Amino acid sequence: MEQKGRKFTSSSVASIETEYVRSMQRKEDWRRKQKKRLKVKLLLFAMIVVVTFGGIASYNHQQKKLLASKQQEKQELVEQLAVKTSEQEQLKKQLLKLDDEEYIAKLARKEYFVSNKDEIIFSLPEGKKKLNKKDDGKE
């Protein structure tokens, strides 16, 4: 009956110091350390994965921007090529015309004011030619 009236406090209970208890405590300490090491390893691995995927995503984004700029540049160069090709065709046509003597004579009259015998050349200023064309269109 005396035991029912007694209250045990934590300081009144003594732990048993046997080899078995000590080995169990060592195992429990070892397990806690292993869990802590595992958490640290997992955290480190997660950080490496995040950094790696971040780097890959950044590289991918840069490559997309580079590709877009290269496509833009390609489009501009294709347009320039089309213009140069048309200019080349015009120059080839003009080169063929330069083999024709009548064309050369007409060009010499127009550009260099060369005349045939008994021919008089009148040149009108460019501004007046445009004015005359505008006046003709109004009437």
Side-chain angles (χ1 to χ4, degrees):
M1 301 290 246
E2 289 179 28
Q3 289 178 351
K4 286 184 182 179
R6 268 195 234 171
K7 291 186 178 178
F8 290 102
T9 62
S10 62
S11 61
S12 63
V13 177
S15 64
I16 301 173
E17 293 292 326
T18 63
E19 187 62 35
Y20 175 75
V21 171
R22 278 186 242 132
S23 70
M24 291 304 285
Q25 285 177 346
R26 277 183 282 196
K27 282 183 181 179
E28 188 62 33
D29 288 343
W30 182 78
R31 284 185 185 144
R32 274 191 240 125
K33 287 180 183 179
Q34 285 297 95
K35 283 184 182 181
K36 188 174 181 179
R37 286 184 195 135
L38 180 63
K39 287 179 183 178
V40 168
K41 288 178 183 178
L42 288 175
L43 180 64
L44 182 62
F45 178 73
M47 288 174 52
I48 290 172
V49 167
V50 167
V51 168
T52 301
F53 281 120
I56 290 171
S58 173
Y59 181 75
N60 187 20
H61 181 66
Q62 288 175 350
Q63 290 298 315
K64 282 183 180 181
K65 286 173 60 176
L66 181 64
L67 179 63
S69 69
K70 292 293 182 182
Q71 286 176 339
Q72 174 87 20
E73 184 179 343
K74 178 185 173 188
Q75 183 65 30
E76 291 171 1
L77 290 174
V78 165
E79 291 171 2
Q80 287 179 5
L81 177 65
V83 169
K84 296 294 181 184
T85 304
S86 66
E87 286 178 11
Q88 182 181 13
E89 290 298 321
Q90 290 174 351
L91 290 173
K92 282 182 181 180
K93 287 178 184 177
Q94 188 176 10
L95 186 62
L96 289 175
K97 286 180 182 179
L98 289 175
D99 287 337
D100 185 18
E101 288 189 26
E102 288 180 29
Y103 177 76
I104 293 173
K106 189 187 285 185
L107 186 65
R109 283 189 195 111
K110 181 179 177 184
E111 295 292 325
Y112 302 108
F113 305 112
V114 175
S115 64
N116 285 336
K117 191 175 180 182
D118 298 330
E119 212 176 42
I120 300 173
I121 298 175
F122 295 99
S123 72
L124 298 176
E126 291 294 320
K128 289 190 177 185
K129 283 183 184 178
K130 290 180 183 176
L131 273 176
N132 290 337
K133 288 181 183 178
K134 288 181 184 177
D135 290 339
D136 290 340
K138 289 181 181 177
E139 294 177 357

